[in-house]
Amino acid sequence: MFKTTLINILFLGSILFIADLTMLPDASLDIGIGSGGINVIPFHTIKDLLSNHSLGKFIVNNIGNIILFIPFGFLLPIKFKNVNRMAKSVFVGMAFSIVIEIIQLWMPNRWTDIDDVILNTLGTGIGYSLCRWLEKVYKPT
């Protein structure tokens, strides 16, 4: 009972943390404070941040998007036993990310960006892989 409650709280916490960082402005991270827009060209934002030598923005935007979804991907197979394959996990992460990007279409200071979907999906996959790896390492014998 305690384990199930803890997993539910952690999973909800990961979703709320994602919602907070993707929906609310954060001046300290320079997120959601400028004008928004749309990018549908894969890797355009990533390339732009690298070519403009914006290392800080590159880290916040790209590495941040990956890290943001790792706990979500880690908890997915623990919370939902039918998410038992990498493909299912990344599909759920991608779908969740697409929903966020669609919502951001109507938010004036947010970017709807295909690169975010790619990076969030990657983070979900990393989280899922980490969960499965730890299950193998710490499997009771």
Side-chain angles (χ1 to χ4, degrees), residues 75-95:
L75 293 165
L76 265 175
I78 298 170
K79 169 86 175 122
F80 301 103
K81 298 302 179 199
N82 62 338
V83 180
N84 55 5
R85 302 229 182 271
M86 173 69 84
K88 288 181 183 180
S89 173
V90 296
F91 177 78
V92 171
M94 181 181 64

Side-chain angles (χ1 to χ4, degrees), residues 17-26 31-39 61 65 68-69 96-117 120:
F17 188 64
I18 290 169
D20 177 54
L21 285 177
T22 59
M23 301 296 166
L24 302 175
D26 187 331
I31 297 173
I33 57 171
S35 61
I38 300 171
N39 171 43
N61 186 61
N65 270 306
L68 184 61
F69 271 70
F96 182 34
S97 182
I98 289 170
V99 167
I100 290 167
E101 297 302 316
I102 289 170
I103 292 168
Q104 287 179 340
L105 279 169
W106 289 277
M107 301 176 78
N109 296 335
R110 302 306 300 210
W111 274 88
T112 296
D113 194 335
I114 189 65
D115 290 354
D116 290 350
V117 174
N120 296 342

Side-chain angles (χ1 to χ4, degrees), residues 39-47 113-115 118:
N39 171 43
V40 294
I41 303 168
F43 306 107
H44 176 73
T45 304
I46 295 169
K47 186 181 95 177
D113 194 335
I114 189 65
D115 290 354
I118 294 166

